[in-house]
């Protein structure tokens, strides 16, 4: 039996890549020694584990846990090894660091090394992310009870990863021991917005952050989420938050893309300009939501009545086999309204009513996500043109033309507006709109890390708020609002993520 087990270990070793062997060695660091394990291959690691009585034919639990942790269950199937009961031989802290390493890109690793001034540069040159973590442990910069240094690094390099650390701390230690002043509420559960607002010159000190101000309204804005979580009731509610089920067909992604406004002169004094560059947004949304598993349904150049009829039809469909619904509207707009290509306005809240629980029972308790790329007023965020009166000397245009978007009380809804009330939203005729392009790029980057949608939109807020045109006068601030009761976490697609943002002037 022992000989058969050793043969099985040999087969396991042959199935593992160099990076996977390093991962197994890293996960065993606390089991074998506090120092890194210097091993040439999996066979040497397994021999050492057997020598120290951590692994044997009669006690294969550690092997099973190691392979499951690095997500190689197929190897267990190949060697016909199973475990009747789950084991926790590997420390949660070690698993946390491994999960973090799997989510860090090569570019982000380079940025981490640049910021690690407390470690000699030559000791980091050839290190993988796991190797960098070990060096940080050797220098006593991080340990199981002190991750503030790593959080500060992540704040500058990849802020969404601090959510993983926050969850680890909540599960392992008491919430009061967290070094962070601001913790995001779990209704829903985004990464702290302040994670995306670091100083221009990062300093490796524990971050000091101020809680965001709360806002009133029928639907919560992101600002209402980022409040200090100090009272026991909020911590109790935090424990029960879960994700919306995403186990069936993902759902329909409806895209209304209005480009040609040549007919708007019939209903407006000033004809609305054609929305140059919108095809780039349309293609990006099609690629990204198709990658996420949605059935993409595109409609181009719809007038006001057609838009209302389209949403009525969507609301009348049976969505019982679907997990969710996504609707995207790309057009000119005024606050709380969007334009049809005929120059007539459609109220956004009327479109929302078409898909609420009363009009569409098959979407009850399912997330309904509405993304709107359109101006919501005439003001520039320093300063902005009104919609339709575009400056021919620039490639940056406004999607503007005012009413308070107070969405009706509807459960499980998220409305992502490209700009705040009264203000314009910008579109680059060669690269698409700032908001839609940032949304698509952050979905591609964050979904594989299992970041929830509200956190992703927080990152979109941060990215878009930092954009400007060549004159450095135009600014934009998106504004999500939601009545979500759970987290929206898209399943990680098996296909490779799409490449978006190709330049084109074809808007047909």
């Amino acid at each position: 039996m022992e000989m058969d087990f050793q043969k099985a270990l040999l087969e396991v070793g042959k199935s593992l890549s160099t990076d996977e062997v390093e991962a197994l060695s890293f996960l065993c660091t606390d089991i074998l020694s506090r120092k890194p394990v210097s091993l040439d291959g999996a066979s040497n690691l397994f021999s050492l584990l057997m020598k120290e009585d951590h692994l044997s034919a009669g006690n294969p639990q550690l092997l099973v846990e190691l392979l499951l942790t690095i997500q190689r269950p197929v190897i267990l199937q190949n060697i016909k090894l199973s475990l009747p009961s789950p084991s926790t031989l590997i420390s949660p802290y070690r698993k946390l660091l491994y999960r973090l390493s799997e989510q860090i890109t090569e570019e982000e690793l380079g940025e981490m090394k640049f910021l690690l001034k407390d470690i000699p540069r030559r000791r980091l040159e050839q290190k993988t992310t796991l190797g960098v973590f070990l060096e940080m442990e050797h220098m006593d910069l991080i340990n199981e009870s002190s991750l503030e240094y790593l959080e500060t690094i992540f704040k500058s390099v990849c802020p969404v990863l601090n959510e993983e650390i926050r969850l680890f701390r909540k599960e392992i230690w008491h919430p009061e021991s967290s070094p962070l002043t601001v913790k995001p509420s779990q209704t829903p559960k985004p990464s702290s917005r302040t994670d995306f607002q670091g100083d221009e010159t990062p300093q490796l000190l524990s971050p000091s952050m101020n809680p965001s101000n709360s806002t009133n309204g029928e639907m919560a804005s992101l600002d209402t989420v980022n409040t200090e979580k100090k009272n026991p009731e909020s911590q109790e509610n935090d424990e029960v938050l879960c994700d919306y089920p995403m186990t069936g067909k993902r759902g329909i992604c409806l895209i209304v893309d209005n480009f040609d406004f040549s007919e708007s002169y019939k209903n407006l004094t000033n004809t609305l300009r054609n929305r140059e560059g919108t095809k780039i947004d349309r293609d990006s949304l099609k690629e990204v939501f198709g990658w996420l598993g949605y059935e993409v349904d595109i409609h181009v150049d719809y007038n006001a009545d057609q838009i209302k009829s389209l949403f009525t039809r969507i609301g009348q469909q049976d969505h019982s086999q679907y997990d969710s619904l996504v609707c995207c509207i790309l057009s000119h707009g005024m606050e709380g309204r969007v334009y049809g290509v005929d120059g007539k306005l459609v109220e956004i809240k009327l479109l929302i009513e078409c898909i609420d629980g009363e009009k569409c029972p098959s979407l009850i308790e399912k997330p309904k996500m509405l993304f709107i790329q359109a101006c919501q007023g005439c003001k520039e965020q320093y300063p902005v043109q009104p919609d339709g009166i575009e400056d021919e000397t620039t490639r940056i245009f406004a999607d503007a033309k005012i009413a308070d978007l107070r969405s009706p009380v509807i459960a499980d809804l998220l409305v992502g507006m490209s700009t705040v009330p009264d203000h314009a939203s910008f579109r680059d005729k060669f690269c698409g709109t700032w908001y839609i392009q940032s949304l698509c790029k952050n979905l591609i980057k964050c979904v594989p890390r299992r970041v929830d949608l509200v956190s992703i939109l927080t990152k979109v807020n941060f990215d878009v708020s930092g954009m400007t045109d060549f004159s450095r006068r135009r600014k934009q601030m998106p504004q999500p609002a939601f009545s979500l009761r759970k987290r929206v976490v898209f399943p990680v697609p098996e296909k490779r993520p799409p490449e978006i943002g190709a330049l084109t002037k074809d808007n047909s």
Side-chain angles (χ1 to χ4, degrees):
M1 181 176 177
E2 191 69 30
M3 181 62 69
D4 292 338
F5 183 65
Q6 289 186 341
K7 288 181 179 179
L9 291 178
L10 186 61
E11 290 302 315
V12 171
K14 292 179 180 178
S15 303
L16 296 173
S17 67
T18 301
D19 288 343
E20 288 171 331
V21 173
E22 181 188 18
L24 296 186
S25 300
F26 179 85
L27 291 169
C28 290
T29 299
D30 301 325
I31 296 172
L32 291 172
S33 170
R34 283 289 173 181
K35 297 180 180 180
V37 183
S38 300
L39 299 167
D40 297 327
S43 296
N44 291 332
L45 172 63
F46 295 149
S47 296
L48 187 55
L49 290 171
M50 294 177 72
K51 182 178 179 180
E52 296 187 9
D53 294 328
H54 298 297
L55 186 64
S56 67
N59 183 27
Q61 287 91 340
L62 179 59
L63 177 64
V64 174
E65 188 176 357
L66 285 169
L67 293 177
L68 291 178
T69 300
I70 67 170
Q71 299 182 347
R72 292 300 304 273
V74 67
I75 297 179
L76 294 174
Q77 298 171 9
N78 292 340
I79 63 174
K80 298 180 174 55
L81 185 62
S82 61
L83 189 65
S85 59
S87 61
T88 53
L89 302 174
I90 305 169
S91 75
Y93 163 70
R94 197 60 52 186
K95 288 182 179 180
L96 167 70
L97 293 182
Y98 171 73
R99 289 197 307 272
L100 293 172
S101 74
E102 286 292 282
Q103 300 179 66
I104 294 173
T105 65
E106 286 296 325
E107 179 181 357
E108 290 165 344
L109 176 59
E111 293 173 358
M112 283 181 61
K113 292 178 179 179
F114 177 77
L115 293 174
L116 284 168
K117 303 299 185 182
D118 295 307
I119 302 178
R121 189 63 55 84
R122 60 180 178 78
R123 288 168 56 177
L124 298 175
E125 286 180 355
Q126 304 299 321
K127 297 291 185 181
T128 63
T129 305
L130 293 177
V132 170
F133 287 160
L134 287 173
E135 289 293 341
M136 294 175 73
E137 288 182 308
H138 297 161
M139 298 292 293
D140 200 25
L141 299 176
I142 60 172
N143 56 53
E144 187 171 3
S145 59
S146 179
L147 291 165
E148 297 91 334
Y149 192 97
L150 186 58
E151 286 175 298
T152 307
I153 293 286
F154 283 164
K155 182 182 176 183
S156 300
V157 174
C158 189
V160 294
L161 294 183
N162 278 333
E163 176 71 1
E164 289 261 8
I165 297 177
R166 192 192 66 79
L167 290 175
F168 164 79
R169 185 179 285 113
K170 183 173 74 70
E171 293 170 2
I172 303 303
W173 307 104
H174 296 295
E176 290 79 7
S177 67
S178 170
L180 295 181
T181 303
V182 178
K183 298 181 183 179
S185 166
Q186 296 295 311
T187 316
K189 183 179 184 180
S191 298
S192 173
R193 181 173 177 176
T194 51
D195 281 347
F196 303 116
Q197 298 175 339
D199 297 331
E200 292 183 4
T201 305
Q203 298 181 7
L204 300 184
L205 300 172
S206 297
S208 176
M209 297 175 280
N210 295 320
S212 303
N213 295 327
S214 298
T215 59
N216 296 322
E218 291 173 323
M219 297 176 65
S221 71
L222 286 183
D223 286 335
T224 67
V225 177
N226 300 316
T227 55
E228 249 182 296
K229 188 175 67 177
K230 288 186 176 181
N231 64 74
E233 182 180 353
S234 67
Q235 294 177 15
E236 181 178 351
N237 292 337
D238 182 67
E239 298 292 335
V240 299
L241 186 73
C242 55
D243 301 342
Y244 285 103
M246 290 281 184
T247 55
K249 293 183 179 179
R250 203 66 58 240
I252 295 171
C253 173
L254 179 69
I255 300 175
V256 177
D257 179 22
N258 284 348
F259 162 69
D260 185 358
F261 283 83
S262 58
E263 295 296 312
S264 63
Y265 71 90
K266 296 178 181 179
N267 298 295
L268 293 173
T269 303
N270 294 320
T271 302
L272 294 169
R273 299 273 185 175
N274 291 344
R275 299 183 61 256
E276 301 288 345
T278 189
K279 185 177 184 296
I280 300 169
D281 284 348
R282 183 208 316 165
D283 291 344
S284 296
L285 290 168
K286 176 184 176 181
E287 291 295 323
V288 171
F289 282 101
W291 170 65
L292 291 175
Y294 284 87
E295 300 173 12
V296 180
D297 183 17
I298 298 177
H299 301 267
V300 179
D301 293 340
Y302 266 35
N303 63 37
D305 288 338
Q306 288 175 318
I307 293 174
K308 288 185 281 188
S309 297
L310 179 61
F311 271 76
T312 298
R313 177 171 62 80
I314 285 292
Q316 292 172 346
Q317 288 184 9
D318 180 10
H319 297 263
S320 56
Q321 63 178 325
Y322 297 131
D323 296 326
S324 59
L325 173 68
V326 173
C327 300
C328 307
I329 301 177
L330 315 175
S331 189
H332 290 299
M334 290 174 61
E335 188 179 346
R337 292 171 286 177
V338 293
Y339 277 105
V341 292
D342 56 354
K344 293 183 179 180
L345 286 161
V346 181
E347 289 197 34
I348 295 171
K349 59 183 177 182
L350 294 181
L351 301 180
I352 292 173
E353 288 175 2
C354 293
I355 58 175
D356 65 14
E358 181 180 356
K359 300 286 180 59
C360 189
S362 59
L363 281 174
I364 292 176
E365 297 187 353
K366 297 179 181 181
K368 296 161 280 287
M369 296 155 276
L370 182 60
F371 300 100
I372 298 175
Q373 168 56 48
C375 282
Q376 292 298 290
C378 302
K379 298 178 183 177
E380 290 189 352
Q381 294 188 55
Y382 208 72
V384 161
Q385 278 181 297
D387 185 8
I389 307 175
E390 298 180 344
D391 182 358
E392 297 290 352
T393 64
T394 179
R395 60 187 250 186
I396 305 297
F397 297 145
D399 274 335
K401 266 281 194 211
I402 298 187
D404 183 20
L405 174 62
R406 296 258 181 200
S407 299
V409 178
I410 175 175
D412 311 304
L413 174 72
L414 182 144
V415 180
M417 302 297 300
S418 62
T419 188
V420 295
D422 294 336
H423 290 83
S425 178
F426 295 108
R427 168 175 34 86
D428 187 310
K429 64 183 180 181
F430 297 140
C431 300
T433 58
W434 297 353
Y435 175 69
I436 294 297
Q437 290 302 307
S438 177
L439 171 65
C440 291
K441 291 173 183 176
N442 278 291
L443 284 170
I444 289 173
K445 182 176 182 179
C446 296
V447 166
R449 294 171 171 169
R450 296 197 57 76
V451 179
D452 68 279
L453 181 58
V454 174
S455 297
I456 293 173
L457 292 177
T458 306
K459 183 62 164 64
V460 172
N461 276 7
F462 174 76
D463 289 349
V464 174
S465 67
M467 296 178 182
T468 187
D469 65 342
F470 291 123
S471 70
R472 296 188 178 277
R473 296 187 305 118
R474 291 181 167 96
K475 301 292 289 184
Q476 180 177 331
M477 186 70 236
Q479 185 183 59
F482 57 84
S483 59
L484 299 174
R485 296 178 292 174
K486 301 178 183 179
R487 300 194 320 155
V488 178
V489 180
F490 297 110
V492 180
E494 295 181 1
K495 297 185 297 184
R496 292 177 59 86
E499 296 182 4
I500 64 169
L503 301 185
T504 177
K505 296 183 182 180
D506 177 17
N507 291 283
S508 60

